[in-house]
Amino acid sequence: MSNKIKENKVRLRLYREKDFEFLHGLLSDEVTKKYFPFMYTMEREQTFIRLRTRLEDQAWGIDTRYVIEDMRRKVPVGEVSGRKAKDDPSCMELAVLVHPDFRGQNFARDGVFEFIKKMRETKPEITKFRMEIAESNKASQAVARKLNFKLKGD
């Protein structure tokens, strides 16, 4: 993983009630529909249910899903999450989504970098990280390369 990120441009934080509009913008986006169809929704009621679920999971301490917040503007710009790989309990599979208003500004890279750092501090049993990226998702492939992930076919 690259050490080129010198200053914290982002911070990870838990979801808040006031994140509804941000989350709805994230979940109703066409890129989300294409690469994360199981998360996609245009229904505001579904977004509300998903926000409530995130808040409840956080309260129980069972969620590894964080809001990526732009520290300069103090606004949410994306979401990063991880789950233990089914085939390897020492590996965490990562996912990152950036709100359409904030793409192309390295928030995905910085959010994943901060997430890995946080997991190394809080979950020492996790020693490997991987991202499953669609072949057509060039933006996420670029993020993975910037963080020195190895891509299949490289």
Side-chain angles (χ1 to χ4, degrees):
M1 193 168 59
S2 175
N3 290 324
K4 294 178 185 174
I5 303 169
K6 292 182 175 46
E7 63 183 66
N8 288 351
K9 178 175 152 181
V10 302
R11 75 179 185 109
L12 303 184
R13 67 164 174 80
L14 298 176
Y15 269 93
R16 302 174 185 152
E17 292 273 350
K18 68 180 185 177
D19 290 326
F20 177 82
E21 292 301 330
F22 156 73
L23 184 61
H24 187 65
L26 193 65
L27 298 182
S28 62
D29 178 57
E30 287 301 311
V31 172
T32 301
K33 182 179 183 179
K34 182 175 182 179
Y35 295 117
F36 296 94
F38 55 91
M39 291 178 68
Y40 175 77
T41 184
M42 289 294 292
E43 302 296 323
R44 293 179 70 79
E45 181 61 29
Q46 281 297 315
T47 299
F48 179 76
I49 291 168
R50 291 175 187 187
L51 179 59
R52 293 293 328 145
T53 300
R54 282 166 170 75
L55 294 169
E56 289 168 9
D57 288 350
Q58 286 172 184
W60 285 100
I62 58 173
D63 199 14
T64 54
R65 190 183 309 257
Y66 293 92
V67 171
I68 303 168
E69 185 176 85
D70 177 349
M71 289 182 61
R72 187 172 52 84
R73 290 178 270 193
K74 305 285 190 245
V75 295
V77 296
E79 176 183 281
V80 62
S81 62
R83 65 175 183 191
K84 284 191 179 180
K86 292 179 182 172
D87 63 334
D88 183 351
S90 69
C91 182
M92 185 170 274
E93 297 174 336
L94 308 178
V96 63
L97 290 164
V98 174
H99 191 282
D101 294 344
F102 300 100
R103 293 196 180 120
Q105 301 174 51
N106 290 318
F107 289 121
R109 178 201 67 189
D110 295 351
V112 170
F113 180 86
E114 291 298 321
F115 184 84
I116 289 172
K117 192 166 78 173
K118 183 178 211 58
M119 291 302 107
R120 285 189 169 144
E121 292 168 0
T122 60
K123 299 190 179 299
E125 70 277 14
I126 303 296
T127 59
K128 296 177 269 186
F129 298 90
R130 70 180 176 212
M131 299 171 77
E132 188 172 324
I133 302 171
E135 195 172 310
S136 62
N137 192 342
K138 303 302 180 195
S140 290
Q141 289 176 13
V143 168
R145 283 190 179 100
K146 286 178 186 175
L147 293 167
N148 293 329
F149 277 82
K150 292 187 182 0
L151 300 180
K152 290 181 181 177
D154 277 358

